[in-house]
């Protein structure tokens, strides 16, 4: 009897529970967008987003983000096409060796850092020179010692009592860099009382060493000479850095050739969709909040910018013929380089935008600003004259160097 | 009279509260305190009395079992698409074909494992589960790939006991299982981009919850033609809530009916044949305190016991499994083939998996 009662109660309970099927509700629109993107049904994804826009009036951050994903996929930029770039970073190291992945990315980051900004080969030397310049400016006159020696190289005297001599003045001082000597070629015209060689040499030396004989004037000149020595050295270091930077960039580009070869062709990319995706991602990246959509937008902006740069380079160079870093110039296609100028510039601009607010930017703030200023000076578009001139310069360089 | 009041309480609790589900709810066949039998039966075994695993399905079956001894139980997924994908991702060179396959067909992977040791006598059972492990991975958005990852480790120390009441024409049994648990989990989303530039400890930060919870069960058996009935409340007082760390979120997924409070109603019958008995059980899971039937989780379990061998079958909308178990005095081993879709109709294709289980009696 009890069992029958329990059974009836059970049926009653189940009937009441059965009347509501809220757990079987249709999945959310966002869920449907994700499923559509995953299965490659982009038109369905965009339809759902459009419906959401009609429903709510304006797309929220979340929905703007999904729209950018759909447009990017329709532009033929997705994990499959970006796979060579992603693979280079991620999959060449086994996932279970996390430390190696980090070391690999640290190495690439430092190469990128020194390639773009040029850390120089001698940072300690540079610091030393700057410190030395400060010391020389502050050192008191009494502490400065110097010695002058002159070497007469040529003398001549005339019947009218005038004479001429030339020679080298050699100065040694305790404030000259690395104990160096300073040499200066000087000449003088003067009058002779008597035409004696001994007197001639004596007066000649006096004239050659003249300014330095007076200690007050001499100290000032010695100090200036010492500072100019350091200035020249700093300039040499900067020029060496610039050369090293260009060489490193060329090597970095040469090493990236296997990746560039696999990046999708620009001709297969729907640039209109890509532009729209860029527009949305830039809008999201400018926001200050730290939502997933904003953070992802910044990273994706960097990735797509890298794609734009690499695919433009691929289009502008006979990439399959590159065997040596110097081939990068020799196999450049001048008119293609010029026609891809806008894409290259856009890629570089958006790439710098994507690094704003990152650790990379904060560590290289002043140099970052110089890079942004340099980019600002470039024209957005080349006019016909600039195009023709650029093509001419590239063709001439190729002709001379290759 | 007391029983009537309890049932009335359940009826009154049928406030049809709306179930706010996350977009990606995941179900798992292998639950904490499961063994090979209960998982192969899709946990549809709350009226199958008299087996070593019976009290794992329903604590109210404890007074009706006669097992004594020390047992070690291990069960887990030993092969399947998830494991194959994981192996390829970790050990093989990744190619575009695999990535494309992962996004379009196999974008969800799941791994579960349970191992415990228990001591049982006629009065109580104590079991310690050092490892119940769960790992769900969902890959989405080919334009900027992201991974939704759910990791959980559930350690517990459980005390089970119960009492039965004999009536003229029926048996009513009550059981309870009180356990201390330590729930370590992380449910996060990160991009492949993050994965290449950050260490895993920066992406995955485990959190832990501790607490004491209980399972309560009632089993009613009639000596007449009526089926056996069971009611269960699982994870009473659990600090783990459904949709734990976030409200509705399309990109996170959270397991359902594993760690949070839920209920079950079972109806079963045994048919005796010349060559052994066939136990059939229909299990209906309900959300919360008997609030709403989770129809998708309704399952039928069938066990055909031939002493040395057992055939097990578990069928539900998204899980179908067929298993064979070898029984001996000290050692039971089972293998089952399973076709499963943890994500339900959202999952693009079923996963074919093989589960292996071992029960050792010391």
């Amino acid at each position: 009897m009890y069992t029958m009662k329990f059974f009836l109660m059970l049926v009653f309970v189940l009937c009441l529970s059965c009347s509501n099927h809220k757990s079987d509700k249709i999945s959310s629109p966002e869920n449907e967008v994700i499923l559509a993107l995953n299965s490659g049904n982009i038109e369905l994804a965009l339809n759902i987003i459009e419906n959401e826009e009609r429903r709510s009036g304006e797309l929220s951050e979340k929905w703007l983000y999904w729209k950018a994903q759909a447009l990017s996929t329709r532009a033929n930029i997705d994990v499959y096409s970006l796979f060579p770039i992603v693979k280079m970073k991620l999959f060449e190291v086994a996932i279970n060796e996390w430390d190696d992945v980090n070391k690999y990315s640290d190495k690439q980051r430092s190469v990128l850092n020194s390639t773009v900004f040029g850390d120089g080969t001698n940072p300690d030397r540079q610091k030393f020179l700057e410190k030395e310049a400060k010391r020389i400016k502050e050192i008191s006159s009494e502490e400065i010692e110097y010695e002058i020696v002159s070497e007469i190289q040529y003398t001549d005297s005339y019947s009218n009592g005038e004479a001429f001599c030339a020679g080298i003045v050699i100065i040694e001082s305790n404030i000259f860099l690395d104990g160096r000597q300073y040499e200066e070629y000087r000449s003088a015209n003067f009058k002779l009382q008597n035409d004696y060689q001994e007197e001639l040499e004596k007066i000649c030396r006096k004239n050659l060493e003249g300014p330095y004989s007076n200690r007050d004037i001499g100290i000032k000149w010695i100090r200036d000479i010492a500072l100019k020595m350091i200035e020249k050295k700093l300039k040499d270091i900067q020029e060496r850095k610039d050369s090293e930077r260009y060489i490193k960039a060329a090597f970095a580009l040469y090493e990236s050739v296997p990746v560039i070869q696999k990046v999708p062709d620009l001709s297969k990319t729907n640039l209109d969709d890509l532009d729209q995706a860029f527009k949305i991602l830039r809008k999201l990246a400018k926001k200050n909040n730290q939502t997933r959509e904003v953070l992802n937008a910044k990273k994706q902006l960097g990735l797509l910018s890298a794609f734009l740069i690499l695919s433009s380079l691929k289009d502008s160079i006979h990439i399959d013929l590159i065997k040596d870093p110097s081939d990068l110039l020799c196999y450049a296609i001048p008119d293609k380089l010029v026609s891809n100028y806008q894409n290259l510039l856009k890629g570089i601009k958006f790439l710098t935008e994507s690094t704003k607010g990152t650790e990379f930017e904060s560590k290289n703030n002043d140099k970052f600003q110089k890079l942004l200023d340099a980019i600002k000076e470039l024209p957005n578009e080349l006019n016909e004259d600039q195009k023709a001139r650029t093509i001419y310069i590239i063709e001439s360089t190729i002709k001379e160097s290759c | 009279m007391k029983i009537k009041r309890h049932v009335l309480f359940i009826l009154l609790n049928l406030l049809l509260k709306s179930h706010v589900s996350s977009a990606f709810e995941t179900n798992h066949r292998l639950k904490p305190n499961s063994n090979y039998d209960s998982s192969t039966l899709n946990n549809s075994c709350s009226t199958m009395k008299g087996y070593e695993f019976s009290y794992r399905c329903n604590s109210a079956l404890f007074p009706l079992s006669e097992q004594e001894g020390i047992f070690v139980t291990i069960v887990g997924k030993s092969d399947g698409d998830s494991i194959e994908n994981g192996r390829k991702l970790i050990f093989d060179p990744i190619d575009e074909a695999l990535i494309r396959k992962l996004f379009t067909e196999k974008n969800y992977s799941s791994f579960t494992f349970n191992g415990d040791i228990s001591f049982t006598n006629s009065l109580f059972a104590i079991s310690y589960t050092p490892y119940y492990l769960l790992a769900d991975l969902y890959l989405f958005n080919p334009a900027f790939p992201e991974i939704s990852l759910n990791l959980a480790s559930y350690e517990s120390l459980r005390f089970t006991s119960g009492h039965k009441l004999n009536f003229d024409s029926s048996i009513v049994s009550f059981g309870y299982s009180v356990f201390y648990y330590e729930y370590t989990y992380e449910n996060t989303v990160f991009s492949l981009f993050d994965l290449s530039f950050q260490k895993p400890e920066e992406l995955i930060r485990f959190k832990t919850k501790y607490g004491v919870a209980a399972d309560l069960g009632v089993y009613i058996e009639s000596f007449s033609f009526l089926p056996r009935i069971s009611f269960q409340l699982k994870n009473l007082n659990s600090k783990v809530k459904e949709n734990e760390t976030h409200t509705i979120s399309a990109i996170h997924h959270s397991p359902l009916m594993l760690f949070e409070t839920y209920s079950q109603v079972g109806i079963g019958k045994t048919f005796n044949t010349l060559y052994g008995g066939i136990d059939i059980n229909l299990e209906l899971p309900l959300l919360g305190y008997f609030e709403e039937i989770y129809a998708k989780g309704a399952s039928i379990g069938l066990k055909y016991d031939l002493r040395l061998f057992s055939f097990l079958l578990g069928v539900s909308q998204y899980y179908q499994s067929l298993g064979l178990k070898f029984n001996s005095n000290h050692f039971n081993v089972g293998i089952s083939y399973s076709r499963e879709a943890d994500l339900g109709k959202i999952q693009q294709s079923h996963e074919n998996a093989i589960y292996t289980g071992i029960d050792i009696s010391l």
Side-chain angles (χ1 to χ4, degrees):
Chain A
M1 193 175 100
Y2 283 112
T3 313
M4 182 61 81
K5 284 182 184 175
F6 276 121
F7 193 71
L8 286 171
M9 278 183 185
L10 169 66
V11 169
F12 183 59
V13 161
L14 293 176
C15 285
L16 282 176
S17 298
C18 278
S19 63
N20 191 334
H21 291 282
K22 286 193 178 163
S23 57
D24 288 333
K25 68 177 182 185
I26 298 166
S27 54
S28 67
E30 193 182 355
N31 188 297
E32 286 172 18
V33 162
I34 295 171
L35 292 174
L37 287 173
N38 267 18
S39 59
N41 194 344
I42 307 306
E43 295 310 319
L44 173 62
L46 286 168
N47 278 340
I48 297 168
I49 295 166
E50 272 167 32
N51 288 340
E52 179 63 27
E53 193 169 11
R54 270 196 290 271
R55 190 190 68 81
S56 58
E58 197 185 333
L59 289 175
S60 64
E61 219 172 71
K62 179 175 72 176
W63 284 101
L64 276 173
Y65 177 76
W66 288 124
K67 189 173 180 180
Q69 307 314 303
L71 289 166
S72 176
T73 310
R74 197 165 70 175
N76 209 23
I77 312 297
D78 52 23
V79 68
Y80 315 119
S81 56
L82 292 176
F83 185 71
I85 302 173
V86 175
K87 188 176 187 294
M88 189 179 76
K89 275 289 169 214
L90 175 65
F91 297 109
E92 280 179 2
V93 180
I95 290 175
N96 57 358
E97 291 173 355
W98 292 109
D99 285 342
D100 281 355
V101 170
N102 232 42
K103 281 180 209 160
Y104 184 83
S105 63
D106 278 344
K107 182 185 160 198
Q108 293 304 311
R109 236 182 290 170
S110 70
V111 166
L112 170 68
N113 193 42
S114 62
T115 299
V116 173
F117 297 117
D119 284 337
T121 56
N122 213 344
D124 293 335
R125 179 71 176 163
Q126 192 168 338
K127 280 183 195 156
F128 166 76
L129 289 169
E130 285 163 357
K131 210 172 154 185
E132 190 64 12
K134 195 176 171 216
R135 186 184 76 87
I136 290 167
K137 282 176 192 167
E138 291 169 359
I139 193 170
S140 66
S141 303
E142 287 76 31
E143 287 178 89
I144 299 176
E145 294 166 6
Y146 66 96
E147 200 178 301
I148 308 169
V149 171
S150 52
E151 278 181 14
I152 298 171
Q153 291 179 332
Y154 177 78
T155 58
D156 201 2
S157 58
Y158 307 108
S159 54
N160 60 357
E162 289 190 353
F164 169 82
C165 79
I168 296 177
V169 174
I170 302 168
I171 306 170
E172 286 182 0
S173 174
N174 63 340
I175 62 168
F176 285 168
L177 188 64
D178 302 329
R180 292 175 190 194
Q181 288 178 334
Y182 174 72
E183 292 181 359
E184 190 183 307
Y185 176 82
R186 293 176 70 84
S187 62
N189 289 297
F190 47 89
K191 269 205 180 287
L192 273 178
Q193 296 285 350
N194 301 304
D195 190 16
Y196 296 131
Q197 189 64 27
E198 203 180 297
E199 191 191 348
L200 176 65
E201 282 183 9
K202 195 175 164 188
I203 296 173
C204 177
R205 276 188 212 287
K206 197 177 167 188
N207 274 281
L208 289 182
E209 295 171 13
Y212 300 102
S213 308
N214 182 316
R215 187 166 165 86
D216 290 333
I217 300 170
I219 291 291
K220 185 180 172 302
W221 281 32
I222 299 292
R223 210 193 288 264
D224 283 345
I225 289 165
L227 285 171
K228 276 188 181 136
M229 275 184 185
I230 290 173
E231 204 179 294
K232 185 172 181 310
K233 214 63 207 158
L234 285 168
K235 197 176 165 191
D236 286 345
I237 286 174
Q238 187 56 43
E239 280 173 6
R240 192 164 64 236
K241 270 194 226 174
D242 288 342
S243 305
E244 278 171 355
R245 194 185 311 157
Y246 296 132
I247 290 169
K248 271 185 188 169
F251 266 100
L253 190 59
Y254 172 69
E255 281 175 357
S256 304
V257 162
V259 174
I260 296 173
Q261 279 173 326
K262 290 177 183 166
V263 166
D265 294 338
L266 213 52
S267 55
K268 288 181 185 164
T269 306
N270 188 333
L271 289 174
D272 289 336
D273 280 338
L274 189 60
D275 270 342
Q276 281 189 65
F278 266 127
K279 209 170 159 182
I280 296 172
L281 290 171
R282 289 177 73 202
K283 186 177 171 183
L284 287 171
K286 281 181 181 146
K287 288 176 184 269
N288 290 326
N289 55 14
Q290 299 285 300
T291 57
R292 167 186 151 262
E293 288 81 13
V294 168
L295 294 173
N296 278 359
K298 288 181 182 171
K299 292 165 196 164
Q300 194 174 5
L301 194 59
L303 196 61
L304 292 183
S305 306
F307 159 75
L308 199 57
I309 294 168
L310 293 177
S311 59
S312 301
L313 284 171
K314 183 184 178 185
D315 196 45
S316 309
I317 303 174
H318 290 294
I319 211 83
D320 295 332
L321 301 175
I322 304 288
K323 297 279 183 283
D324 193 83
S326 58
D327 291 343
L328 287 165
L329 175 62
C330 296
Y331 288 116
I333 309 167
D335 52 340
K336 282 281 189 178
L337 262 173
V338 162
S339 65
N340 282 321
Y341 168 80
Q342 267 188 296
N343 286 333
L344 276 165
L345 184 66
K346 212 188 294 188
I348 295 169
K349 269 187 182 168
F350 294 165
L351 190 59
T352 51
E353 262 183 43
S354 71
T355 51
K356 270 188 186 167
T358 62
E359 202 184 311
F360 185 82
E361 189 207 12
S362 61
K363 284 187 176 171
N364 300 282
N365 196 27
D366 53 337
K367 294 167 187 171
F368 202 81
Q369 196 51 50
K370 279 184 196 167
L371 182 66
L372 287 173
D373 292 338
I375 291 169
K376 270 185 204 164
E377 285 177 20
L378 294 170
N380 284 335
E381 208 177 325
L382 296 176
N383 58 34
E384 290 308 315
D385 182 48
Q386 285 168 325
K387 281 181 189 174
R389 215 161 356 120
T390 310
I391 291 173
Y392 173 75
I393 291 169
I394 297 170
E395 282 175 347
S396 308
T397 313
I398 293 171
K399 211 171 170 185
E400 282 171 25
S401 314
C402 302
Chain B
M1 282 304 292
K2 280 186 185 176
I3 298 164
K4 270 193 190 173
R5 276 191 208 141
H6 283 306
V7 173
L8 213 55
F9 177 72
I10 290 166
L11 287 175
L12 288 172
N13 263 315
L14 281 175
L15 307 166
L16 299 168
K17 294 176 189 170
S18 62
H19 169 53
V20 177
S21 58
S22 70
F24 291 139
E25 288 169 347
T26 57
N27 290 280
H28 296 83
R29 219 153 53 82
L30 186 59
K31 296 185 190 289
N33 202 35
S34 280
N35 77 332
Y36 166 80
D37 298 82
S38 57
S39 64
T40 308
L41 293 165
N42 286 353
N43 301 289
S44 179
C45 49
S46 63
T47 61
M48 292 186 184
K49 66 172 185 180
Y51 298 108
E52 281 170 9
F53 66 90
S54 297
Y55 74 92
R56 291 174 183 272
C57 296
N58 184 356
S59 52
L61 294 176
F62 176 79
L64 302 170
S65 70
E66 295 161 359
Q67 313 299 328
E68 289 191 2
I70 299 174
F71 303 92
V72 173
T73 294
I74 298 169
V75 60
K77 188 184 285 188
S78 53
D79 199 4
D81 298 335
S82 296
I83 298 197
E84 184 63 19
N85 290 339
R87 187 193 63 76
K88 280 184 180 171
L89 275 171
I90 292 170
F91 297 111
D92 290 354
I94 310 294
D95 57 19
E96 187 181 319
L98 174 62
I99 297 291
R100 194 173 287 275
K101 190 178 175 189
L102 283 175
F103 272 102
T104 53
E105 295 170 31
K106 307 285 181 193
N107 62 338
Y108 174 77
S109 295
S110 176
F111 171 77
T112 44
F113 172 84
N114 188 58
D116 64 50
I117 181 166
S118 56
F119 166 71
T120 312
N121 63 24
S122 57
L123 296 174
F124 59 84
I126 294 178
S127 64
Y128 170 59
T129 305
Y131 296 111
Y132 170 80
L133 303 173
L134 172 75
D136 294 335
L137 187 148
Y138 183 73
L139 198 59
F140 62 97
N141 187 16
F144 191 71
E146 289 182 272
I147 296 172
S148 177
L149 185 67
N150 184 34
L151 298 173
S153 167
Y154 197 80
E155 187 182 347
S156 64
L157 180 64
R158 187 179 285 260
F159 176 88
T160 306
S161 188
H163 303 280
K164 71 175 177 187
L165 300 169
N166 287 315
F167 297 96
D168 290 336
S169 58
S170 56
I171 295 172
V172 178
S173 175
F174 302 94
Y176 58 89
S177 198
V178 179
F179 54 96
Y180 168 80
Y181 65 89
E182 187 176 312
Y183 173 57
T184 305
Y185 64 101
E186 169 64 306
N187 193 328
T188 184
V189 177
F190 50 83
S191 66
L192 281 189
F193 194 92
D194 293 331
L195 196 61
S196 60
F197 283 102
Q198 288 180 260
K199 291 180 185 169
E201 49 265 32
E202 289 168 11
L203 295 171
I204 301 169
R205 292 183 191 185
F206 286 102
K207 297 165 270 290
T208 307
K209 285 193 176 192
Y210 309 86
V212 175
D215 295 343
L216 301 176
V218 174
Y219 168 81
I220 302 151
E221 180 181 347
S222 165
F223 299 134
S224 68
F225 64 94
L226 290 170
R228 303 192 289 258
I229 306 164
S230 71
F231 297 90
Q232 290 189 80
L233 258 178
K234 296 278 202 184
N235 300 324
L236 202 61
N237 194 45
S238 170
K239 286 182 189 171
V240 181
K241 306 293 172 207
E242 184 199 330
N243 231 341
E244 181 66 28
T245 56
H246 37 80
T247 52
I248 296 176
S249 167
I251 58 170
H252 287 87
H253 57 272
S254 60
L256 198 61
M257 297 190 173
L258 271 187
F259 310 115
E260 81 283 15
T261 304
Y262 66 97
S263 331
Q264 280 181 219
V265 171
I267 304 168
K269 195 81 181 154
T270 300
F271 299 97
N272 291 314
T273 70
L274 270 176
Y275 302 104
I278 300 175
D279 276 297
I280 297 179
N281 185 88
L282 167 67
E283 203 75 33
L284 293 166
L286 293 101
L287 301 164
Y289 296 82
F290 297 98
E291 289 167 16
E292 180 189 335
I293 286 182
Y294 186 65
K296 287 184 281 191
S299 181
I300 291 175
L302 187 147
K303 183 170 162 60
Y304 182 32
D305 200 29
L306 285 170
R307 294 265 176 98
L308 264 184
F309 292 98
S310 302
F311 294 96
L312 301 105
L313 176 71
V315 176
S316 66
Q317 187 176 357
Y318 298 113
Y319 293 93
Q320 300 90 43
S321 57
L322 179 66
L324 174 67
K325 188 177 168 193
F326 168 72
N327 305 310
S328 71
N329 285 337
H330 297 288
F331 184 77
N332 303 331
V333 63
I335 186 163
S336 66
Y337 170 81
S338 172
R339 199 168 161 271
E340 51 192 44
D342 288 351
L343 288 176
K345 63 181 175 188
I346 291 170
Q347 195 160 329
Q348 277 148 311
S349 64
H350 279 79
E351 177 180 352
N352 300 314
I354 292 179
Y355 284 76
T356 313
I358 299 172
D359 296 327
I360 302 169
S361 169
L362 301 172

